[in-house]
mmCIF file of all heavy atoms in Angstrom:
data_model
loop_
_atom_site.group_PDB
_atom_site.id
_atom_site.type_symbol
_atom_site.label_atom_id
_atom_site.label_comp_id
_atom_site.label_asym_id
_atom_site.label_seq_id
_atom_site.Cartn_x
_atom_site.Cartn_y
_atom_site.Cartn_z
ATOM 1 N N ALA A 19 17.471 -0.212 4.199
ATOM 2 C CA ALA A 19 17.244 -1.669 3.897
ATOM 3 C C ALA A 19 16.521 -2.344 5.100
ATOM 4 O O ALA A 19 15.655 -3.183 4.869
ATOM 5 C CB ALA A 19 18.554 -2.280 3.582
ATOM 6 N N ALA A 20 16.931 -1.945 6.346
ATOM 7 C CA ALA A 20 16.330 -2.518 7.544
ATOM 8 C C ALA A 20 14.829 -2.202 7.697
ATOM 9 O O ALA A 20 14.007 -2.838 8.069
ATOM 10 C CB ALA A 20 17.083 -2.249 8.772
ATOM 11 N N LEU A 21 14.623 -0.818 7.421
ATOM 12 C CA LEU A 21 13.266 -0.306 7.490
ATOM 13 C C LEU A 21 12.362 -1.031 6.373
ATOM 14 O O LEU A 21 11.186 -1.361 6.684
ATOM 15 C CB LEU A 21 13.217 1.134 7.236
ATOM 16 C CG LEU A 21 11.819 1.860 7.233
ATOM 17 C CD1 LEU A 21 11.203 1.626 8.574
ATOM 18 C CD2 LEU A 21 12.008 3.377 7.016
ATOM 19 N N ARG A 22 12.934 -1.265 5.189
ATOM 20 C CA ARG A 22 12.116 -1.952 4.201
ATOM 21 C C ARG A 22 11.714 -3.290 4.706
ATOM 22 O O ARG A 22 10.627 -3.823 4.468
ATOM 23 C CB ARG A 22 13.002 -1.957 2.925
ATOM 24 C CG ARG A 22 12.204 -2.528 1.723
ATOM 25 C CD ARG A 22 13.155 -2.567 0.510
ATOM 26 N NE ARG A 22 12.601 -3.161 -0.649
ATOM 27 C CZ ARG A 22 11.908 -2.471 -1.561
ATOM 28 N NH1 ARG A 22 11.662 -1.187 -1.405
ATOM 29 N NH2 ARG A 22 11.317 -3.131 -2.581
ATOM 30 N N ARG A 23 12.691 -4.078 5.320
ATOM 31 C CA ARG A 23 12.376 -5.366 5.753
ATOM 32 C C ARG A 23 11.368 -5.303 6.890
ATOM 33 O O ARG A 23 10.493 -6.159 7.006
ATOM 34 C CB ARG A 23 13.657 -6.157 6.241
ATOM 35 C CG ARG A 23 14.667 -6.481 5.119
ATOM 36 C CD ARG A 23 15.699 -7.417 5.671
ATOM 37 N NE ARG A 23 16.544 -6.754 6.799
ATOM 38 C CZ ARG A 23 17.689 -6.093 6.515
ATOM 39 N NH1 ARG A 23 18.042 -5.958 5.267
ATOM 40 N NH2 ARG A 23 18.241 -5.524 7.432
ATOM 41 N N ALA A 24 11.385 -4.323 7.763
ATOM 42 C CA ALA A 24 10.521 -4.174 8.784
ATOM 43 C C ALA A 24 9.099 -3.893 8.380
ATOM 44 O O ALA A 24 8.167 -4.225 9.105
ATOM 45 C CB ALA A 24 11.010 -3.143 9.839
ATOM 46 N N ARG A 25 8.942 -3.272 7.217
ATOM 47 C CA ARG A 25 7.656 -2.886 6.744
ATOM 48 C C ARG A 25 6.633 -4.025 6.532
ATOM 49 O O ARG A 25 5.439 -3.770 6.610
ATOM 50 C CB ARG A 25 7.743 -2.127 5.494
ATOM 51 C CG ARG A 25 8.366 -0.669 5.669
ATOM 52 C CD ARG A 25 8.044 0.296 4.500
ATOM 53 N NE ARG A 25 8.522 1.527 4.668
ATOM 54 C CZ ARG A 25 7.976 2.517 5.372
ATOM 55 N NH1 ARG A 25 6.868 2.294 6.011
ATOM 56 N NH2 ARG A 25 8.631 3.647 5.525
ATOM 57 N N ALA A 26 7.132 -5.186 6.408
ATOM 58 C CA ALA A 26 6.199 -6.291 6.401
ATOM 59 C C ALA A 26 5.399 -6.577 7.585
ATOM 60 O O ALA A 26 4.338 -7.105 7.579
ATOM 61 C CB ALA A 26 7.020 -7.612 6.109
ATOM 62 N N GLN A 27 5.847 -6.006 8.770
ATOM 63 C CA GLN A 27 5.179 -6.030 10.025
ATOM 64 C C GLN A 27 4.124 -5.005 10.295
ATOM 65 O O GLN A 27 3.403 -5.082 11.246
ATOM 66 C CB GLN A 27 6.183 -6.142 11.137
ATOM 67 C CG GLN A 27 7.070 -7.388 11.216
ATOM 68 C CD GLN A 27 6.170 -8.603 11.425
ATOM 69 O OE1 GLN A 27 5.389 -8.731 12.373
ATOM 70 N NE2 GLN A 27 6.398 -9.609 10.501
ATOM 71 N N PHE A 28 4.161 -3.910 9.560
ATOM 72 C CA PHE A 28 3.159 -2.888 9.730
ATOM 73 C C PHE A 28 2.739 -2.336 8.294
ATOM 74 O O PHE A 28 3.537 -1.976 7.559
ATOM 75 C CB PHE A 28 3.744 -1.830 10.579
ATOM 76 C CG PHE A 28 4.960 -1.088 10.168
ATOM 77 C CD1 PHE A 28 4.862 0.184 9.615
ATOM 78 C CD2 PHE A 28 6.141 -1.657 10.292
ATOM 79 C CE1 PHE A 28 5.933 0.880 9.182
ATOM 80 C CE2 PHE A 28 7.302 -0.979 9.812
ATOM 81 C CZ PHE A 28 7.182 0.258 9.299
ATOM 82 N N GLN A 29 1.406 -2.303 8.203
ATOM 83 C CA GLN A 29 0.877 -1.840 6.847
ATOM 84 C C GLN A 29 -0.285 -0.775 7.191
ATOM 85 O O GLN A 29 -0.613 -0.595 8.305
ATOM 86 C CB GLN A 29 0.303 -3.028 6.120
ATOM 87 C CG GLN A 29 1.204 -3.913 5.715
ATOM 88 C CD GLN A 29 2.188 -3.453 4.563
ATOM 89 O OE1 GLN A 29 1.580 -3.099 3.446
ATOM 90 N NE2 GLN A 29 3.434 -3.473 4.630
ATOM 91 N N MET A 30 -0.615 -0.093 6.133
ATOM 92 C CA MET A 30 -1.607 0.993 6.309
ATOM 93 C C MET A 30 -2.818 0.870 5.394
ATOM 94 O O MET A 30 -2.590 0.325 4.208
ATOM 95 C CB MET A 30 -0.871 2.307 6.028
ATOM 96 C CG MET A 30 -1.685 3.504 6.347
ATOM 97 S SD MET A 30 -0.658 5.006 6.435
ATOM 98 C CE MET A 30 -1.821 6.280 7.044
ATOM 99 N N VAL A 31 -3.948 1.265 5.885
ATOM 100 C CA VAL A 31 -5.138 1.274 5.055
ATOM 101 C C VAL A 31 -5.438 2.916 5.006
ATOM 102 O O VAL A 31 -5.734 3.500 6.050
ATOM 103 C CB VAL A 31 -6.413 0.580 5.624
ATOM 104 C CG1 VAL A 31 -7.618 0.821 4.935
ATOM 105 C CG2 VAL A 31 -6.041 -0.991 5.659
ATOM 106 N N PHE A 32 -5.567 3.313 3.756
ATOM 107 C CA PHE A 32 -5.751 4.835 3.655
ATOM 108 C C PHE A 32 -7.213 5.110 3.560
ATOM 109 O O PHE A 32 -8.197 4.380 3.537
ATOM 110 C CB PHE A 32 -5.050 5.257 2.287
ATOM 111 C CG PHE A 32 -3.556 5.182 2.365
ATOM 112 C CD1 PHE A 32 -2.940 4.095 1.983
ATOM 113 C CD2 PHE A 32 -2.838 6.197 2.883
ATOM 114 C CE1 PHE A 32 -1.632 3.909 1.946
ATOM 115 C CE2 PHE A 32 -1.407 6.009 2.941
ATOM 116 C CZ PHE A 32 -0.849 4.846 2.471
ATOM 117 N N GLN A 33 -7.504 6.426 3.672
ATOM 118 C CA GLN A 33 -8.900 6.978 3.833
ATOM 119 C C GLN A 33 -9.726 6.801 2.550
ATOM 120 O O GLN A 33 -10.814 6.314 2.637
ATOM 121 C CB GLN A 33 -8.884 8.418 4.195
ATOM 122 C CG GLN A 33 -10.202 9.078 4.262
ATOM 123 C CD GLN A 33 -10.084 10.592 4.612
ATOM 124 O OE1 GLN A 33 -8.926 11.079 4.856
ATOM 125 N NE2 GLN A 33 -11.321 11.293 4.591
ATOM 126 N N ASP A 34 -9.139 6.998 1.350
ATOM 127 C CA ASP A 34 -9.881 7.086 0.105
ATOM 128 C C ASP A 34 -9.845 5.743 -0.576
ATOM 129 O O ASP A 34 -8.805 5.509 -1.155
ATOM 130 C CB ASP A 34 -9.370 8.281 -0.678
ATOM 131 C CG ASP A 34 -10.066 8.453 -2.030
ATOM 132 O OD1 ASP A 34 -11.124 7.762 -2.150
ATOM 133 O OD2 ASP A 34 -9.776 9.254 -2.815
ATOM 134 N N PRO A 35 -10.835 5.024 -0.631
ATOM 135 C CA PRO A 35 -10.766 3.747 -1.423
ATOM 136 C C PRO A 35 -10.777 3.892 -2.883
ATOM 137 O O PRO A 35 -10.533 2.962 -3.536
ATOM 138 C CB PRO A 35 -12.056 2.967 -0.904
ATOM 139 C CG PRO A 35 -12.944 4.099 -0.569
ATOM 140 C CD PRO A 35 -12.166 5.170 0.058
ATOM 141 N N TYR A 36 -11.036 5.087 -3.348
ATOM 142 C CA TYR A 36 -10.978 5.346 -4.777
ATOM 143 C C TYR A 36 -9.616 5.848 -5.274
ATOM 144 O O TYR A 36 -9.100 5.496 -6.305
ATOM 145 C CB TYR A 36 -12.046 6.412 -5.039
ATOM 146 C CG TYR A 36 -13.485 5.985 -4.823
ATOM 147 C CD1 TYR A 36 -13.998 6.346 -3.571
ATOM 148 C CD2 TYR A 36 -14.156 5.254 -5.711
ATOM 149 C CE1 TYR A 36 -15.287 5.888 -3.265
ATOM 150 C CE2 TYR A 36 -15.563 4.927 -5.483
ATOM 151 C CZ TYR A 36 -16.066 5.159 -4.223
ATOM 152 O OH TYR A 36 -17.273 4.744 -3.929
ATOM 153 N N GLY A 37 -8.935 6.594 -4.330
ATOM 154 C CA GLY A 37 -7.544 7.077 -4.715
ATOM 155 C C GLY A 37 -6.339 6.235 -4.374
ATOM 156 O O GLY A 37 -5.303 6.446 -4.890
ATOM 157 N N SER A 38 -6.637 5.320 -3.430
ATOM 158 C CA SER A 38 -5.465 4.416 -2.977
ATOM 159 C C SER A 38 -5.191 3.216 -3.814
ATOM 160 O O SER A 38 -4.190 2.436 -3.494
ATOM 161 C CB SER A 38 -5.799 4.092 -1.525
ATOM 162 O OG SER A 38 -6.959 3.178 -1.373
ATOM 163 N N LEU A 39 -6.066 2.908 -4.790
ATOM 164 C CA LEU A 39 -5.910 1.838 -5.568
ATOM 165 C C LEU A 39 -5.442 2.276 -7.049
ATOM 166 O O LEU A 39 -6.200 3.016 -7.626
ATOM 167 C CB LEU A 39 -7.061 0.865 -5.605
ATOM 168 C CG LEU A 39 -7.662 0.412 -4.349
ATOM 169 C CD1 LEU A 39 -8.899 -0.465 -4.478
ATOM 170 C CD2 LEU A 39 -6.578 -0.321 -3.479
ATOM 171 N N ASP A 40 -4.501 1.621 -7.592
ATOM 172 C CA ASP A 40 -4.076 2.019 -9.039
ATOM 173 C C ASP A 40 -5.108 1.452 -9.910
ATOM 174 O O ASP A 40 -5.302 0.314 -10.139
ATOM 175 C CB ASP A 40 -2.745 1.335 -9.204
ATOM 176 C CG ASP A 40 -2.017 1.881 -10.503
ATOM 177 O OD1 ASP A 40 -2.737 2.321 -11.376
ATOM 178 O OD2 ASP A 40 -0.814 1.674 -10.727
ATOM 179 N N PRO A 41 -5.740 2.451 -10.639
ATOM 180 C CA PRO A 41 -6.824 1.942 -11.533
ATOM 181 C C PRO A 41 -6.314 1.087 -12.866
ATOM 182 O O PRO A 41 -7.138 0.479 -13.547
ATOM 183 C CB PRO A 41 -7.482 3.297 -12.113
ATOM 184 C CG PRO A 41 -6.333 4.218 -11.930
ATOM 185 C CD PRO A 41 -5.537 3.880 -10.732
ATOM 186 N N ARG A 42 -4.999 1.144 -12.999
ATOM 187 C CA ARG A 42 -4.495 0.424 -14.195
ATOM 188 C C ARG A 42 -3.943 -1.036 -13.863
ATOM 189 O O ARG A 42 -3.675 -1.753 -14.781
ATOM 190 C CB ARG A 42 -3.208 1.205 -14.699
ATOM 191 C CG ARG A 42 -3.572 2.545 -15.232
ATOM 192 C CD ARG A 42 -2.277 3.394 -15.461
ATOM 193 N NE ARG A 42 -1.615 3.489 -14.109
ATOM 194 C CZ ARG A 42 -0.505 4.097 -14.010
ATOM 195 N NH1 ARG A 42 0.152 4.747 -15.089
ATOM 196 N NH2 ARG A 42 0.203 4.188 -12.877
ATOM 197 N N ARG A 43 -4.250 -1.336 -12.608
ATOM 198 C CA ARG A 43 -3.782 -2.751 -12.068
ATOM 199 C C ARG A 43 -5.007 -3.587 -11.744
ATOM 200 O O ARG A 43 -5.950 -3.096 -11.283
ATOM 201 C CB ARG A 43 -2.753 -2.605 -11.013
ATOM 202 C CG ARG A 43 -1.439 -2.039 -11.380
ATOM 203 C CD ARG A 43 -0.466 -2.172 -10.129
ATOM 204 N NE ARG A 43 0.914 -1.808 -10.646
ATOM 205 C CZ ARG A 43 2.004 -2.105 -9.966
ATOM 206 N NH1 ARG A 43 1.899 -2.844 -8.860
ATOM 207 N NH2 ARG A 43 3.228 -1.772 -10.393
ATOM 208 N N THR A 44 -4.751 -4.837 -11.940
ATOM 209 C CA THR A 44 -5.885 -5.762 -11.600
ATOM 210 C C THR A 44 -5.727 -5.851 -10.058
ATOM 211 O O THR A 44 -4.837 -5.492 -9.301
ATOM 212 C CB THR A 44 -5.739 -7.089 -12.175
ATOM 213 O OG1 THR A 44 -4.514 -7.741 -11.681
ATOM 214 C CG2 THR A 44 -5.662 -6.994 -13.690
ATOM 215 N N VAL A 45 -6.912 -6.466 -9.473
ATOM 216 C CA VAL A 45 -6.918 -6.562 -8.046
ATOM 217 C C VAL A 45 -5.862 -7.591 -7.603
ATOM 218 O O VAL A 45 -5.212 -7.430 -6.467
ATOM 219 C CB VAL A 45 -8.305 -7.209 -7.600
ATOM 220 C CG1 VAL A 45 -8.355 -7.707 -6.183
ATOM 221 C CG2 VAL A 45 -9.455 -6.139 -7.812
ATOM 222 N N GLY A 46 -5.615 -8.674 -8.415
ATOM 223 C CA GLY A 46 -4.557 -9.513 -8.052
ATOM 224 C C GLY A 46 -3.227 -8.827 -7.925
ATOM 225 O O GLY A 46 -2.514 -9.081 -7.005
#
């Protein structure tokens, strides 16, 4: 639970811009 809260402070950008986005969801 504490790690989940801490994740707001560090995020990741992955290598593949095609595979890292869910094609079924809108950008929003």
Side-chain angles (χ1 to χ4, degrees):
L21 177 59
R22 185 181 179 87
R23 290 192 297 269
R25 286 197 181 280
Q27 290 300 307
F28 60 104
Q29 292 289 302
M30 188 164 186
V31 176
F32 295 92
Q33 175 179 358
D34 183 7
Y36 298 92
S38 63
L39 305 179
D40 189 339
R42 299 165 298 180
R43 293 191 170 194
T44 64
V45 168

